[in-house]
Amino acid sequence: MASDDVVELILEDHRSMEDLFRRMRSVDEDRAKALREFSALLVAHAEAEESEVYPALKRYKDIDNDEVEHGSEEHDEGHEALLHLMEVEDTGGEEWDEKLEELSEAVAHHLDEEERTLLNDARENVADERRTELGRAFLKARADQLASDCGDIENVRRLVRG
């Protein structure tokens, strides 16, 4: 990763998620493997945002706290849609396509909204040095999540149950 700026790091993860969606849709790819990679990235990313980034952003008067809370709600929706896809046994079947589309729509909506609101607000209102500090904290929390096998179906079930 070239930058420790939290905005750039989050955007990089977003682009990786989009690439993984392409792989999960492709009949030429190992869809189950792509789903495992996606699950780990989505959970690690969301948990790191909620533990390190979102609480810090709430402290800025020019960043809308309702948008931060909404981002957390959308993470929950994404986890639920992820679980539904993980529970599909046949990666080549109609149910896979249906659940993948539901997950894709939930995540794409969140990425778009987060990029237009929170990330733009962070660029405008959070000093470069602070964004770098947040980026390092985000990376550490994300790495800790990945090391804990956060994308495992049992962990996703736990997150969905709350």
Side-chain angles (χ1 to χ4, degrees), residues 54 57-71 117-122 125:
Y54 286 5
L57 292 180
K58 283 183 172 183
R59 295 187 195 110
Y60 288 86
K61 65 179 173 56
D62 293 327
I63 296 179
D64 187 342
N65 282 349
D66 290 340
E67 288 296 335
V68 177
E69 290 300 322
H70 186 64
T117 59
L118 291 179
L119 298 184
N120 279 338
D121 288 349
N125 298 294

Side-chain angles (χ1 to χ4, degrees), residues 27-125:
V27 295
D28 297 327
E29 291 282 343
D30 181 340
R31 290 174 167 185
K33 180 180 181 215
L35 176 58
R36 286 190 301 276
E37 291 175 32
F38 181 86
S39 177
L41 177 59
L42 182 70
V43 172
H45 176 92
E47 294 296 300
E49 279 185 339
E50 290 187 28
S51 68
E52 301 300 328
V53 181
Y54 286 5
L57 292 180
K58 283 183 172 183
R59 295 187 195 110
Y60 288 86
K61 65 179 173 56
D62 293 327
I63 296 179
D64 187 342
N65 282 349
D66 290 340
E67 288 296 335
V68 177
E69 290 300 322
H70 186 64
S72 294
E73 292 166 9
E74 289 182 342
H75 287 166
D76 294 343
E77 292 168 10
H79 290 143
E80 190 170 337
L82 173 63
L83 180 60
H84 292 154
L85 181 61
M86 294 175 86
E87 292 174 337
V88 174
E89 291 182 25
D90 179 10
T91 62
E94 208 171 290
E95 186 182 14
W96 169 271
D97 292 340
E98 178 185 309
K99 298 301 180 193
L100 177 58
E101 236 12 75
E102 289 171 11
L103 174 61
S104 176
E105 287 174 17
V107 171
H109 170 82
H110 173 68
L111 301 187
D112 175 60
E113 208 166 73
E114 185 174 73
E115 289 174 16
R116 286 185 297 104
T117 59
L118 291 179
L119 298 184
N120 279 338
D121 288 349
R123 262 195 205 102
E124 293 173 10
N125 298 294

